[in-house]
Structure formats: structure tokens, C-alpha cells
Amino acid sequence: MIPRMSANSNLLERSLSAVWHPCTQMKRHENLPLVPIARGDGVWLYDPEGKRYLDAVSSWWVNLFGHCNPRINAALTDQLGKLEHVMLAGFTHEPVVQLSERLRALAPAGLGHCFYGSDGASATEIALKMSAHYWRNNGKPEKTQFISMQNSYHGETLGALSVTDVALFRDAYGALIRQNATVPSPDSREAEAGESPDAFALRCADALETHLHAHHGNIAAFIVEPLIQGAAGMAMYHPVYLLRARELCSRFGVHLIADEIAVGMGRTGTMFACEQAPPPLALPQGERGISPDFLLLSKGITGGYLPLSIVMTTDDIYQAFYADETARGFLHSHSYTGNPLACRAALATLDIFAQDDVLNANRSKAAFFNRIAQPLREHPRVRNFRNTGMVWAFEVDTPHADFAQRCFSLGLQHELLLRPMGNTVYFMPPYVIGEDEMRLLVTHTLKVIDRLI
Ligand SMILES: *Cc1c(COP(=O)(O)O)cnc(C)c1O
């Protein structure tokens, strides 16, 4: 075994020497070893020695149907033999057309046009640019401001950071970022004692109304993470907020951008989180769900295989750019826009949703998980245990200031890939997780937590 061990540590050294890892203070790795991964299978990641880790965070929220999924692999292999890439300006291909048509049929009504980017942050950039450009093309060039929620996260390029309210990611770049306003987050944890989540959400929507009333003349769009603010620590809120946000944005002539990069593709229990908004208060028997002006998808759209993002938008937006003059068009581009391999992975992902009735299967899985997670929910040091769809989160009452780091390291010792945010532990597993794996996730997490309180 000695030669393989050294090959392994050699890989870590080479990585630290040549690779600048994301979201990382590299000096930390003087004490904290990198984790080498040689292969994946279902919910499991394996290191070169065969030690396994349950990927409880779906590799940064992207994986839906497990690592090395045979059906997605087969689709990609087939596509590799046909066409790996062609530029999308002036050209087209079957995977990008099919994907756009199928998403149009699945998404909330009215979102008929798909614009492609390569990752989540680029989708945010595209939506912000399109929104402001729409107003400019419609004779309202003064509408250039954006609003987002407190603790929002929409990506980390400079434009996306201007609507991201996470100090740690923002502060160093403050001088480079446009100042946009934030409105109160309806995060249910912030409700007053005795205030219901829906009453609190409505109170926050009143603050949005006040802001829009005063400033709508300069505001192009309001960008939201529907139902769950992921990077805020899986902050969950009542869907009535989405209904009110839709009504207010329509009333004040402001676009609503639904950033479903993390929550789309079934993660909240419906294909898109926007579907869960209740019917209008005046029409309690009416239809559920809202249609935003822009819907952003990335992360799970390819099943976690390849970078791809999509900005879906309405005919109204599309038509504002449709003209004889070149400059009225949306001239944005990325080299890999609409990459056929990534689109094919997305089509295979949509096939699995349809063939396996995934949304229903996930409802049973979530109910099962909630039953077996009872010891966690009732643990004396666990607070705010919450669940939406296939996301669970809770805070741990811990004396350790470096809880997140310790929990991550102890998790690895217990076959778990957990990546807490502060003292918030969350589970966002691939949908293929089985009952035994769910049991292991609960019992091993309990062991980890009991060593950190
Ligand atoms: C991850 C994420 C993004 C950014 O996506 P990247 O692919 O990491 O650039 C944007 N918005 C939300 C809600 C996200 O979770």
C-alpha cells in the first residue's frame, strides 16, 4: 500500500502547488488536507484508497441523480460521437432546440425564450443586462437600479455581486461594485415570537411595497431566490412572499427575476419553486404559482455534469430587442453558449424526471427522511430544524467558533461530506439517495454533532 499512499499525498502536494482552489484561504491547507477523489457512484464519492463519502451537499448543490449516472453517461457518449460543440451565433443544433422547447413546456407560463450562459453568475449577469436594456429600448433609460433581499446570493462576478448581500464575498470588492438596495428577507427564523411564517412574509412584502413605491422610477428589476436563500444558510420562507412580490413588481413596472439556479429542477418539491406561490388572496380557489419575467437555471440543470446556465424570459422582453437596428439586440455572448454536450446532459436529466416520476418519488423520500430525522429534530442542541422539498437544515448550539471547519473534518471521518455554513448544517442530497443511505446520514450526523457540543 505504501506506493499508493505516496501517490496520493503526491497528488495533494501537486494540487496545492498548481491549483488555486475556489472559495478557500489557501494557507488553511497547511493544516487541513485536501480530499482526493478518484471516482463517484450514486451518492458516494471514493478516494484512491476506496474510502467513501456520502455526498450530502450534492457537490455544491449541482448533482441530482448521482455520480456517474448510467443514463446521463450514455447520452453524453452518444452526443460525443456526433457533435461536441459549435458556436450558437448563426448556428443551431438539435440538443439546444429540444432543451429550449422542453423547458418552455415545463416552466411557468409565458417563459418562451431561452438564452444560454455557462454558469450561474453569468445567468445573473445576463438577466440584469437584459432587464436594464429592455427599459432602455422602451424609452426608460433611467431604470438602471436593482434590488435584492438581505442575505441574497446571486453569484460572484462583479455584476452578480452587486445583488449579492454576503459581506465575506463582497467587502474586498466594494469599490468595484455598484450599490444596489436590499429589502428585508422573509427568512422565517427572523419572525417575531408568535408570528406565523406567512404573517412575517407579508410584513416583509409590505417593506418591499414601501421601497418600490418610493423608488420604482429608477428600478429595473427585483431579483429573488424563491423559497430558499441558499447561501444565507438555507433560509426558508413562506411562498406567499412570491405572490406579493409578483403583484408588486407588476403594479410598479419592475421586472421580477427568479433565480432558481439552486432551487429549480425539483429541489423544493416542485419542478420550479415559483410554482408554490399560493393563488391570489382575492381568488383563494385560483391557480397556484407565479410567472417571473426572468427565470434563471444552472447547477442541477445538467444533473451536475457540465456547466450550463439558462435565462428564460417572456415574449414581452424578447420583442423589446427585436428590431432592424443591431444595437437594439442583445449582443451578449459566451464562447460556449448552448454547448451541445451540456444540453444533452440536461435533456437526459429531464428524461429521468419524466421516466422515474421523480417529483412524486422525492415526496415519499422526504416524508421518510423527516420520520427518521426525528432524533435530530428533537436533539437538545439543534434549533430551527426545517425542510423544503429535498433540502433540510438546522442550527447547532455549539461552543466552537470554528464549528463549520470541525464539522466538515469530523464528517469526513464518519463517511459524510457535510459543508456547514457557520453553525448551520444542511443536507441537500442527490435525489437517488436510498433509505439505508438516509439512515446513515442521520446516525452519522448525530455522532458528529455529539462531539461538537
Ligand atoms: C450557485 C448560485 C449562483 C451562482 O452560480 P455559479 O454557477 O456558482 O456562478 C447564483 N445564484 C444562486 C441562488 C446560487 O445558488
Side-chain angles (χ1 to χ4, degrees), residues 115-129 154 157 223 257 259 261 294-298 308-311 332 334:
F115 193 96
Y116 286 79
S118 325
D119 50 36
S122 68
T124 299
E125 300 288 338
I126 289 163
L128 299 180
K129 283 177 69 180
H154 298 289
T157 51
I223 183 167
I257 304 173
D259 175 351
I261 289 167
F294 298 91
L295 182 82
L296 314 186
L297 298 174
S298 190
L308 181 75
S309 64
I310 307 176
V311 177
H332 186 102
H334 297 284

Short mmCIF file of all heavy atoms in Angstrom, two decimals, residues 115-129 154 157 223 257 259 261 294-298 308-311 332 334:
data_model
loop_
_atom_site.label_atom_id
_atom_site.label_comp_id
_atom_site.label_asym_id
_atom_site.label_seq_id
_atom_site.Cartn_x
_atom_site.Cartn_y
_atom_site.Cartn_z
N PHE A 115 -32.14 31.96 -23.27
CA PHE A 115 -30.81 32.48 -23.61
C PHE A 115 -29.81 31.68 -22.77
O PHE A 115 -30.04 31.41 -21.60
CB PHE A 115 -30.73 33.98 -23.28
CG PHE A 115 -29.52 34.65 -23.88
CD1 PHE A 115 -29.61 35.31 -25.10
CD2 PHE A 115 -28.28 34.58 -23.24
CE1 PHE A 115 -28.49 35.91 -25.68
CE2 PHE A 115 -27.16 35.18 -23.82
CZ PHE A 115 -27.26 35.85 -25.04
N TYR A 116 -28.68 31.32 -23.37
CA TYR A 116 -27.76 30.39 -22.71
C TYR A 116 -26.48 31.05 -22.22
O TYR A 116 -25.92 31.94 -22.88
CB TYR A 116 -27.41 29.25 -23.67
CG TYR A 116 -28.57 28.29 -23.81
CD1 TYR A 116 -29.65 28.60 -24.65
CD2 TYR A 116 -28.64 27.13 -23.07
CE1 TYR A 116 -30.73 27.75 -24.75
CE2 TYR A 116 -29.72 26.27 -23.16
CZ TYR A 116 -30.76 26.59 -24.00
OH TYR A 116 -31.85 25.75 -24.09
N GLY A 117 -26.02 30.61 -21.05
CA GLY A 117 -24.74 31.03 -20.48
C GLY A 117 -24.01 29.80 -19.98
O GLY A 117 -24.46 28.67 -20.20
N SER A 118 -22.89 30.02 -19.30
CA SER A 118 -22.07 28.86 -18.93
C SER A 118 -22.14 28.52 -17.45
O SER A 118 -21.79 27.42 -17.06
CB SER A 118 -20.61 29.11 -19.30
OG SER A 118 -20.52 29.86 -20.49
N ASP A 119 -22.53 29.46 -16.60
CA ASP A 119 -22.63 29.15 -15.18
C ASP A 119 -23.63 30.10 -14.54
O ASP A 119 -24.17 30.99 -15.21
CB ASP A 119 -21.26 29.25 -14.49
CG ASP A 119 -20.57 30.53 -14.81
OD1 ASP A 119 -21.25 31.56 -14.92
OD2 ASP A 119 -19.34 30.52 -14.98
N GLY A 120 -23.87 29.90 -13.26
CA GLY A 120 -24.92 30.66 -12.59
C GLY A 120 -24.68 32.16 -12.63
O GLY A 120 -25.58 32.95 -12.97
N ALA A 121 -23.47 32.57 -12.28
CA ALA A 121 -23.20 34.01 -12.23
C ALA A 121 -23.42 34.65 -13.60
O ALA A 121 -23.92 35.78 -13.70
CB ALA A 121 -21.76 34.26 -11.75
N SER A 122 -23.09 33.93 -14.66
CA SER A 122 -23.30 34.53 -15.99
C SER A 122 -24.79 34.65 -16.28
O SER A 122 -25.21 35.58 -16.98
CB SER A 122 -22.55 33.76 -17.08
OG SER A 122 -23.08 32.49 -17.29
N ALA A 123 -25.62 33.76 -15.75
CA ALA A 123 -27.07 33.90 -15.91
C ALA A 123 -27.56 35.16 -15.20
O ALA A 123 -28.40 35.90 -15.73
CB ALA A 123 -27.79 32.67 -15.37
N THR A 124 -27.04 35.41 -14.02
CA THR A 124 -27.42 36.64 -13.31
C THR A 124 -27.02 37.86 -14.12
O THR A 124 -27.82 38.79 -14.31
CB THR A 124 -26.75 36.69 -11.92
OG1 THR A 124 -27.20 35.56 -11.16
CG2 THR A 124 -27.09 37.97 -11.17
N GLU A 125 -25.79 37.86 -14.63
CA GLU A 125 -25.32 38.99 -15.44
C GLU A 125 -26.25 39.22 -16.64
O GLU A 125 -26.62 40.36 -16.95
CB GLU A 125 -23.91 38.72 -15.99
CG GLU A 125 -22.82 38.49 -14.97
CD GLU A 125 -22.43 39.76 -14.22
OE1 GLU A 125 -22.65 40.87 -14.75
OE2 GLU A 125 -21.90 39.63 -13.11
N ILE A 126 -26.60 38.13 -17.29
CA ILE A 126 -27.45 38.23 -18.49
C ILE A 126 -28.79 38.84 -18.13
O ILE A 126 -29.28 39.76 -18.80
CB ILE A 126 -27.61 36.83 -19.13
CG1 ILE A 126 -26.29 36.40 -19.78
CG2 ILE A 126 -28.74 36.82 -20.16
CD1 ILE A 126 -26.19 34.91 -20.07
N ALA A 127 -29.41 38.35 -17.05
CA ALA A 127 -30.73 38.86 -16.67
C ALA A 127 -30.67 40.34 -16.29
O ALA A 127 -31.54 41.13 -16.68
CB ALA A 127 -31.30 38.03 -15.51
N LEU A 128 -29.62 40.73 -15.55
CA LEU A 128 -29.52 42.15 -15.15
C LEU A 128 -29.34 43.02 -16.40
O LEU A 128 -29.99 44.07 -16.54
CB LEU A 128 -28.34 42.37 -14.19
CG LEU A 128 -28.37 41.63 -12.84
CD1 LEU A 128 -27.12 41.98 -12.02
CD2 LEU A 128 -29.63 41.93 -12.03
N LYS A 129 -28.47 42.60 -17.29
CA LYS A 129 -28.23 43.38 -18.51
C LYS A 129 -29.49 43.44 -19.37
O LYS A 129 -29.86 44.50 -19.89
CB LYS A 129 -27.08 42.77 -19.33
CG LYS A 129 -25.69 43.07 -18.79
CD LYS A 129 -24.59 42.38 -19.60
CE LYS A 129 -24.43 42.97 -21.01
NZ LYS A 129 -23.34 42.26 -21.75
N HIS A 154 -26.40 35.73 -5.52
CA HIS A 154 -26.71 35.51 -6.93
C HIS A 154 -25.46 35.31 -7.78
O HIS A 154 -25.50 35.45 -9.00
CB HIS A 154 -27.55 36.68 -7.47
CG HIS A 154 -28.87 36.81 -6.75
ND1 HIS A 154 -29.89 35.91 -6.91
CD2 HIS A 154 -29.29 37.71 -5.82
CE1 HIS A 154 -30.92 36.27 -6.13
NE2 HIS A 154 -30.59 37.34 -5.46
N THR A 157 -19.43 37.23 -9.85
CA THR A 157 -18.84 38.18 -10.79
C THR A 157 -19.29 39.58 -10.34
O THR A 157 -20.20 39.71 -9.51
CB THR A 157 -19.30 37.88 -12.22
OG1 THR A 157 -20.73 37.78 -12.20
CG2 THR A 157 -18.70 36.58 -12.72
N ILE A 223 -34.52 40.93 -7.90
CA ILE A 223 -34.05 39.55 -8.07
C ILE A 223 -34.23 38.79 -6.77
O ILE A 223 -33.85 39.29 -5.70
CB ILE A 223 -32.59 39.50 -8.60
CG1 ILE A 223 -32.15 38.06 -8.85
CG2 ILE A 223 -31.61 40.23 -7.69
CD1 ILE A 223 -30.86 37.93 -9.66
N ILE A 257 -37.05 38.85 -11.31
CA ILE A 257 -36.09 37.83 -11.73
C ILE A 257 -36.09 36.72 -10.69
O ILE A 257 -35.74 36.97 -9.53
CB ILE A 257 -34.66 38.40 -11.86
CG1 ILE A 257 -34.63 39.59 -12.82
CG2 ILE A 257 -33.68 37.31 -12.30
CD1 ILE A 257 -33.27 40.32 -12.87
N ASP A 259 -34.28 33.68 -9.42
CA ASP A 259 -33.02 32.96 -9.51
C ASP A 259 -33.24 31.55 -8.96
O ASP A 259 -33.17 31.33 -7.75
CB ASP A 259 -31.93 33.71 -8.72
CG ASP A 259 -30.61 32.96 -8.68
OD1 ASP A 259 -30.58 31.78 -9.10
OD2 ASP A 259 -29.62 33.54 -8.19
N ILE A 261 -31.39 29.01 -9.76
CA ILE A 261 -30.14 28.29 -10.05
C ILE A 261 -29.95 27.14 -9.06
O ILE A 261 -29.59 26.03 -9.45
CB ILE A 261 -28.96 29.29 -10.01
CG1 ILE A 261 -29.04 30.21 -11.23
CG2 ILE A 261 -27.62 28.58 -9.92
CD1 ILE A 261 -28.14 31.44 -11.17
N PHE A 294 -38.08 36.77 -15.63
CA PHE A 294 -36.87 36.02 -15.96
C PHE A 294 -36.78 34.85 -14.99
O PHE A 294 -37.00 35.02 -13.79
CB PHE A 294 -35.61 36.88 -15.78
CG PHE A 294 -35.53 38.10 -16.65
CD1 PHE A 294 -36.04 39.32 -16.21
CD2 PHE A 294 -34.91 38.03 -17.89
CE1 PHE A 294 -35.95 40.45 -17.00
CE2 PHE A 294 -34.81 39.17 -18.69
CZ PHE A 294 -35.32 40.38 -18.25
N LEU A 295 -36.45 33.69 -15.51
CA LEU A 295 -36.20 32.52 -14.66
C LEU A 295 -34.78 32.03 -14.96
O LEU A 295 -34.45 31.76 -16.11
CB LEU A 295 -37.22 31.42 -14.99
CG LEU A 295 -37.09 30.15 -14.14
CD1 LEU A 295 -37.80 30.34 -12.80
CD2 LEU A 295 -37.69 28.95 -14.86
N LEU A 296 -33.96 31.94 -13.91
CA LEU A 296 -32.56 31.54 -14.10
C LEU A 296 -32.36 30.09 -13.66
O LEU A 296 -32.77 29.71 -12.57
CB LEU A 296 -31.63 32.43 -13.26
CG LEU A 296 -31.86 33.93 -13.30
CD1 LEU A 296 -30.75 34.65 -12.53
CD2 LEU A 296 -31.94 34.44 -14.73
N LEU A 297 -31.72 29.32 -14.50
CA LEU A 297 -31.41 27.92 -14.19
C LEU A 297 -29.93 27.66 -14.39
O LEU A 297 -29.33 28.20 -15.32
CB LEU A 297 -32.20 26.98 -15.10
CG LEU A 297 -33.72 27.04 -15.01
CD1 LEU A 297 -34.34 26.16 -16.08
CD2 LEU A 297 -34.18 26.62 -13.62
N SER A 298 -29.37 26.81 -13.53
CA SER A 298 -28.00 26.32 -13.74
C SER A 298 -27.84 25.12 -12.81
O SER A 298 -28.80 24.38 -12.62
CB SER A 298 -26.97 27.42 -13.47
OG SER A 298 -25.69 27.00 -13.89
N LEU A 308 -23.63 24.84 -17.36
CA LEU A 308 -24.62 25.36 -18.31
C LEU A 308 -25.55 26.26 -17.52
O LEU A 308 -25.90 25.94 -16.39
CB LEU A 308 -25.44 24.21 -18.93
CG LEU A 308 -26.50 24.62 -19.96
CD1 LEU A 308 -25.83 24.98 -21.28
CD2 LEU A 308 -27.52 23.50 -20.20
N SER A 309 -25.94 27.38 -18.08
CA SER A 309 -26.99 28.16 -17.42
C SER A 309 -27.94 28.68 -18.48
O SER A 309 -27.59 28.80 -19.66
CB SER A 309 -26.41 29.31 -16.59
OG SER A 309 -25.74 30.24 -17.39
N ILE A 310 -29.16 28.94 -18.02
CA ILE A 310 -30.21 29.34 -18.94
C ILE A 310 -31.00 30.49 -18.32
O ILE A 310 -31.35 30.45 -17.14
CB ILE A 310 -31.17 28.16 -19.22
CG1 ILE A 310 -30.35 26.94 -19.67
CG2 ILE A 310 -32.21 28.55 -20.27
CD1 ILE A 310 -31.15 25.70 -19.88
N VAL A 311 -31.23 31.52 -19.12
CA VAL A 311 -32.11 32.61 -18.72
C VAL A 311 -33.36 32.47 -19.56
O VAL A 311 -33.32 32.65 -20.78
CB VAL A 311 -31.44 33.98 -18.97
CG1 VAL A 311 -32.39 35.12 -18.63
CG2 VAL A 311 -30.15 34.08 -18.15
N HIS A 332 -24.90 40.11 -26.12
CA HIS A 332 -24.10 39.36 -25.15
C HIS A 332 -23.73 37.97 -25.69
O HIS A 332 -24.54 37.33 -26.35
CB HIS A 332 -24.96 39.22 -23.89
CG HIS A 332 -24.28 38.60 -22.73
ND1 HIS A 332 -23.81 39.34 -21.67
CD2 HIS A 332 -24.00 37.31 -22.43
CE1 HIS A 332 -23.28 38.53 -20.77
NE2 HIS A 332 -23.38 37.30 -21.20
N HIS A 334 -21.14 34.22 -24.75
CA HIS A 334 -20.05 33.45 -24.14
C HIS A 334 -19.63 32.41 -25.17
O HIS A 334 -20.47 31.89 -25.91
CB HIS A 334 -20.52 32.75 -22.86
CG HIS A 334 -20.94 33.69 -21.78
ND1 HIS A 334 -20.05 34.39 -21.02
CD2 HIS A 334 -22.17 34.07 -21.34
CE1 HIS A 334 -20.70 35.14 -20.15
NE2 HIS A 334 -21.99 34.98 -20.32
#
